[in-house]
Amino acid sequence: MHIHRLEKIWIVVGIAMLGVFLVVVGVGAFAMGMQPPGSHHDHAHHTGAIDPEKVDETPPFDNPRLEQVGDKEYNAYMVGYAFGFSPDKMEIPVGSTVHFQITSSDVVHGFQIPGTNVNMMVVPGEVNYLSHTFTEPGEYLILCNEYCGIGHEYMATTIIVS
Amino acid sequence: MTNPKQSLPREVADRSGSAGRGGEPTGPSETTGDPHQGALAHAAEGHTAAKSAGTPAEHADLSAKSAGTPAEYADLSAESTGTPAKPADTLTQKAGLHMPYPPKDAAIVLSHIIFAFAALLLGGVAGLLQGLVRGGMVELPAGIGYYQLLTAHGVLMALVFTTFFIIGFLYSGIANTLGGKLLPATRRFAWFGFVLMASGTVLGTIMILLNKATVLYTFYAPMQASVLFYIALVLLVVGSWSSGFGMIYQYRYWRRKHQGQLSPLFAFMSIVTMLMWLIATIGVAATVILQFIPWSLGWVDTINVMISRTLFWYFGHPLVYFWLLPAYICWYVVIPKIIGGKIFSDALARLSFILLLLFSIPVGFHHQLMEPGISPLWKYIQVVLTFMVVIPSLMTAFSLFATFEISGREKGAKGLFGWLKYLPWKDVRFFAPFMGMLIFIPAGAGGLINASHQMNGVIHNTLWVTGHFHLTVATSVALTFFGITYWLIPVITNRVLTPAMNRLGIIQTVIWLVGMFFMSGSMHTAGLFGSPRRTAYTTYNDHPDAVLWMPYHVAMAIGGTILFVAVILMVYNIFAMMRMPKGDTPYPIGEVSDQAEPTPKLLEKWWIWIVLVVVLILFAYTIPVLEMLGQSGPGSPPWVTW
């Protein structure tokens, strides 16, 4: 099939750009560790699956908490529910890295901290993971960004970085 | 103001109709022949009935076949031989010589189009109210919930308006290019589909209004709506299957009668669209029938949430291409005719549709990048497959602008961009779809951002995404559909578009663009700042970040109000078009440029492409779905949280 010379140039340049995009995304993800959330899934001590009806008796979510695990390093074991997050209000010193681990005890929720790249789905029956280092002080808003019911817009908490 | 009709040459271009006849009938179901085909050959040359009557051999052939018509095709042959003295009956209609559009086909097309715009009006009311609520300007009267409106808006706009319009439009073009009218069996498929889809829509809307299904149009488990809502979805989908089968039936019939010939481009593209739809909707049908309905009837206690989400998005992304492909059909096949140019290349147009078929489906994970339970490797593989649609998109952009430039230069355009002046800017049938094309450039670029691993984390589930699809489906696709409506209603109602209506159409398009600039622009911006989508009015206890979003939410409400004015004007225009003067408006089907290379037969060997689609889908989904099944827990019980 004959293709016009200009169209060939156009498509080759387009495919080359596409290649560059995909290499940038791929190198970012696999070489630099900028994976989407959930990527620790296979390596974590959890199996990934959790009985959504038994969240309150399954460690570590039976005791949702912020736990210091190193110098300026924390694990946040969290549960999303209609319509809130547990634990409510967390406080950390500036420069801390927090490893968020979250599941839902009812419907699907979202977990987003505006002004950061923290954004993940909270799915019942699954545990999602994401780490973030808070380099600026402030009161960060944590909100649910997936419709979860009549009180969805009230589902939020904060994390204070001081 | 020029009358848009002036730019329309009178001939009808069913090019394939001018080639030789297909094989002789071999069985009872094939004995009718194609009564319009011989006629069309002459229609393409703009001949009159008298002239075509001078090809007795062909018409003898025609009437012989019609005489042997089995009962099934009785009404078709009755129509085509109703005036036995003039076998070129349909010719005159095709050539626009004051012959009516086949009334039975007009009824099918018009029913779909009117139903679509009724949904647009209701969905528009819901959209307006949502915008005003979120902007903090009104509070809904007791009893109506924001999320109820949001569900109605999504279902009526994204599922009902689009599907009804698309099926009506494709049937009109199938009738036009594959024989001049629909076969009786095709009509039965179409009406059966319409009745199922309409009942599904009515039932679904009632459940939403009763607040029994406030689950949004994505109906994510484990929220559980009334079982009747899921049944409504099944009716909508199965109805659309029937319509798809009707088109495939007519296409196969045509090809049996025209062996060795290339099918008309419009029909080929319609079949790609419906084939993609049939393959894609298997996912949503599977989750609704196998998961949601047994669960909502209480036959099973729990639902596997990740599997249901994966099946939904297996369908959810091709859904957006299902909206887009009919717009592409208008851009590729109709617009060249309207601007008085030629289709740049039939072969490249078909190739781009085949590529869209291949790369539309195995890509759903890019909607699930932020989810647990899917390994990063498979997310990346589907991101790569998603990006492949860049290739047919670039081919499309090239072909369209090549058509514009070549046609401008043939009319005497000088300089690098002189041809722009030769485009019919004052013809709404061109202006509205062209604005759709133009908006598709930033819309597509936004899509690349959404589908990228890292950048998706910035915008996932924010208003950015809402802004994105209000550019793609609610501008590129919607404006193209509006542009189509301004000639399709005149064609099927045997009327002519008046200069006054053309002007109203241009005004309506401009209002839409202005409204969308404010609404989608604010959505994109607020989304980048983190404002979540699908969320009622809130300032999160006056958190400074959320307070910053408010001016953008107000601008969204203003944009939404302007858009609502455009919806009202569109609905008015439809009523007004039904009262335009009678006359002949030919169906605008472009012809392929003389310089275009012949189309390889390979492109119409469907089994190759279907096998490739299936292989790509199995490749992209088998391992991750097995992983999901292998690691899944006991599943989720139902929740009603609204």
Side-chain angles (χ1 to χ4, degrees):
Chain A
M1 191 164 74
H2 171 80
I3 296 178
H4 192 282
R5 187 179 61 90
L6 288 175
E7 179 159 16
K8 272 186 194 151
I9 296 171
W10 169 255
I11 289 179
V12 166
V13 170
I15 292 176
M17 277 169 56
L18 184 62
V20 172
F21 289 167
L22 288 172
V23 167
V24 168
V25 172
V27 167
F30 293 97
M32 298 166 73
M34 289 188 285
Q35 286 286 10
S39 52
H40 306 290
H41 191 270
D42 302 329
H43 316 294
H45 12 276
H46 306 288
T47 61
I50 177 170
D51 185 341
E53 294 181 86
K54 292 183 179 147
V55 168
D56 58 358
E57 49 195 86
T58 310
F61 302 102
D62 55 341
N63 177 21
R65 64 198 182 275
L66 181 71
E67 183 181 87
Q68 187 156 12
V69 291
D71 183 30
K72 292 199 169 183
E73 190 171 357
Y74 295 83
N75 279 345
Y77 303 109
M78 300 185 72
V79 176
Y81 59 92
F83 303 98
F85 293 103
S86 180
D88 200 12
K89 306 240 181 206
M90 292 175 283
E91 281 195 52
I92 49 164
V94 71
S96 300
T97 298
V98 183
H99 307 292
F100 295 100
Q101 307 187 18
I102 187 164
T103 190
S104 165
S105 56
D106 43 55
V107 298
V108 176
H109 298 283
F111 183 93
Q112 182 195 341
I113 307 180
T116 72
N117 290 343
V118 176
N119 195 340
M120 60 178 159
M121 300 303 295
V122 182
V123 180
E126 296 277 344
V127 181
N128 212 349
Y129 301 79
L130 196 60
S131 297
H132 184 72
T133 304
F134 292 85
T135 54
E136 299 283 331
E139 185 177 342
Y140 289 80
L141 179 62
I142 297 177
L143 58 84
C144 171
N145 66 8
E146 181 62 86
Y147 167 65
C148 56
I150 188 82
H152 165 56
E153 71 270 26
Y154 301 109
M155 183 169 168
T157 184
T158 52
I159 180 164
I160 295 166
V161 181
S162 49
Chain B
M1 180 75 250
T2 50
N3 184 336
K5 271 190 62 65
Q6 284 169 6
S7 62
L8 277 178
R10 295 176 72 210
E11 78 271 14
V12 170
D14 185 346
R15 304 179 78 237
S16 48
S18 59
R21 299 191 77 84
E24 286 306 300
T26 55
S29 66
E30 298 182 348
T31 48
T32 48
D34 181 345
H36 319 297
Q37 176 210 339
L40 277 173
H42 300 284
E45 292 150 31
H47 286 222
T48 61
K51 168 89 184 195
S52 60
T55 52
E58 277 195 46
H59 295 302
D61 182 10
L62 162 71
S63 36
K65 281 183 184 173
S66 302
T69 296
E72 197 194 9
Y73 293 95
D75 76 326
L76 174 63
S77 51
E79 278 167 29
S80 61
T81 56
T83 47
K86 286 199 289 179
D89 220 38
T90 45
L91 152 74
T92 50
Q93 175 250 315
K94 300 304 295 181
L97 299 180
H98 303 284
M99 290 304 291
Y101 190 90
K104 289 187 176 177
D105 297 347
I108 287 172
V109 176
L110 201 56
S111 304
H112 282 86
I113 302 293
I114 288 183
F115 202 99
F117 280 100
L120 182 83
L121 180 62
L122 276 179
V125 172
L128 171 73
L129 291 172
Q130 271 165 251
L132 294 175
V133 169
R134 182 141 196 194
M137 293 150 142
V138 300
E139 278 178 36
L140 292 167
I144 308 174
Y146 174 85
Y147 299 107
Q148 228 180 324
L149 288 177
L150 188 52
T151 307
H153 180 71
V155 169
L156 290 170
M157 296 298 216
L159 300 178
V160 178
F161 167 68
T162 51
T163 307
F164 275 83
F165 187 91
I166 288 165
I167 288 174
F169 170 52
L170 296 189
Y171 265 124
S172 77
I174 292 263
N176 187 269
T177 59
L178 295 181
K181 61 169 70 170
L182 297 176
L183 296 165
T186 308
R187 287 190 190 131
R188 281 195 288 275
F189 275 118
W191 278 122
F192 183 64
F194 179 83
V195 169
L196 285 191
M197 291 200 302
S199 341
T201 303
V202 170
L203 180 60
T205 307
I206 290 172
M207 297 325 289
I208 294 167
L209 293 178
L210 290 175
N211 203 23
K212 299 280 187 204
T214 306
V215 291
L216 309 191
Y217 91 93
T218 42
F219 59 94
Y220 290 140
M223 281 192 190
Q224 192 186 73
S226 158
V227 67
L228 293 176
F229 176 74
Y230 302 119
I231 289 171
L233 291 176
V234 171
L235 291 173
L236 195 55
V237 169
V238 174
S240 73
W241 287 350
S242 174
S243 299
F245 293 147
M247 292 180 209
I248 292 169
Y249 177 84
Q250 177 128 355
Y251 170 81
R252 287 172 59 101
Y253 181 85
W254 187 94
R255 288 196 77 198
R256 273 204 309 274
K257 295 288 149 203
H258 301 77
Q259 297 204 357
Q261 284 182 43
L262 191 64
S263 64
L265 185 57
F266 190 113
F268 175 89
M269 290 175 155
S270 302
I271 297 301
V272 172
T273 306
M274 293 316 289
L275 190 59
M276 186 195 74
W277 179 248
L278 289 172
I279 298 172
T281 44
I282 291 170
V284 71
T287 186
V288 170
I289 294 169
L290 302 176
Q291 292 191 287
F292 280 94
I293 290 181
W295 176 64
S296 57
L297 286 172
W299 296 347
V300 293
D301 296 329
T302 61
I303 189 166
N304 186 325
V305 175
M306 281 311 294
I307 291 288
S308 76
R309 295 174 69 81
T310 301
L311 285 170
F312 180 85
W313 284 113
Y314 162 94
F315 151 80
H317 198 71
L319 170 67
V320 311
Y321 288 101
F322 176 66
W323 302 332
L324 191 61
L325 291 190
Y328 273 26
I329 296 178
C330 171
W331 300 354
Y332 267 115
V333 184
V334 173
I335 293 294
K337 186 72 176 181
I338 285 171
I339 66 166
K342 295 278 171 70
I343 296 168
F344 177 68
S345 163
D346 178 276
L348 287 171
R350 284 177 206 247
L351 178 61
S352 77
F353 263 61
I354 290 292
L355 290 174
L356 285 164
L357 171 68
L358 295 179
F359 294 111
S360 287
I361 303 172
V363 298
F365 283 171
H366 76 251
H367 291 261
Q368 299 178 278
L369 288 174
M370 300 297 123
E371 284 175 32
I374 305 168
S375 78
L377 178 67
W378 288 102
K379 285 180 180 173
Y380 183 68
I381 286 170
Q382 292 210 7
V383 164
V384 172
L385 291 169
T386 305
F387 272 59
M388 290 302 141
V389 298
V390 167
I391 298 166
S393 305
L394 288 177
M395 286 167 59
T396 302
F398 188 93
S399 295
L400 300 175
F401 281 85
T403 295
F404 297 154
E405 181 173 348
I406 291 168
S407 111
R409 291 198 188 284
E410 278 173 358
K411 291 172 188 161
K414 300 275 186 289
L416 198 54
F417 293 108
W419 46 271
L420 280 169
K421 287 203 291 277
Y422 286 81
L423 292 171
W425 298 107
K426 291 180 174 172
D427 183 343
V428 67
R429 302 166 311 156
F430 167 77
F431 179 71
F434 182 84
M435 285 299 150
M437 287 177 209
L438 217 54
I439 300 294
F440 200 58
I441 297 169
L448 295 182
I449 290 171
N450 302 346
S452 303
H453 271 52
Q454 295 87 3
M455 284 190 283
N456 184 259
V458 180
I459 52 81
H460 176 73
N461 271 356
T462 68
L463 274 172
W464 164 283
V465 178
T466 321
H468 166 72
F469 63 71
H470 277 88
L471 287 189
T472 51
V473 66
T475 310
S476 294
V477 171
L479 284 183
T480 302
F481 288 1
F482 297 164
I484 290 169
T485 308
Y486 286 110
W487 55 259
L488 184 57
I489 288 193
V491 166
I492 57 179
T493 59
N494 307 297
R495 294 172 192 278
V496 284
L497 188 69
T498 57
M501 178 52 66
N502 184 60
R503 205 175 307 120
L504 274 180
I506 301 259
I507 292 169
Q508 187 256 338
T509 307
V510 171
I511 297 175
W512 192 275
L513 288 166
V514 171
M516 198 54 85
F517 173 80
F518 283 107
M519 197 178 83
S520 181
S522 317
M523 284 174 167
H524 275 93
T525 316
L528 282 179
F529 291 146
S531 180
R533 69 186 282 200
R534 299 179 150 185
T535 302
Y537 174 79
T538 175
T539 57
Y540 293 107
N541 291 321
D542 292 336
H543 189 279
D545 285 352
V547 170
L548 180 77
W549 305 330
M550 287 316 295
Y552 297 98
H553 294 176
V554 171
M556 274 159 50
I558 293 168
T561 309
I562 297 170
L563 280 163
F564 185 69
V565 172
V567 167
I568 296 290
L569 183 54
M570 187 70 219
V571 171
Y572 166 80
N573 285 355
I574 288 180
F575 282 107
M577 275 191 269
M578 306 284 193
R579 291 194 297 270
M580 292 190 306
K582 286 279 180 185
D584 51 304
T585 299
Y587 199 104
I589 294 282
E591 291 167 58
V592 178
S593 159
D594 302 332
Q595 275 119 46
E597 298 281 320
T599 303
K601 286 240 159 56
L602 185 68
L603 288 171
E604 212 154 13
K605 294 220 184 304
W606 293 103
W607 63 269
I608 297 179
W609 308 117
I610 293 173
V611 166
L612 264 179
V613 174
V614 172
V615 166
L616 275 172
I617 290 169
L618 291 177
F619 163 69
Y621 274 109
T622 308
I623 294 174
V625 167
L626 287 177
E627 280 176 3
M628 246 175 240
L629 288 170
Q631 73 198 6
S632 59
S636 283
W639 291 90
V640 178
T641 52
W642 64 88

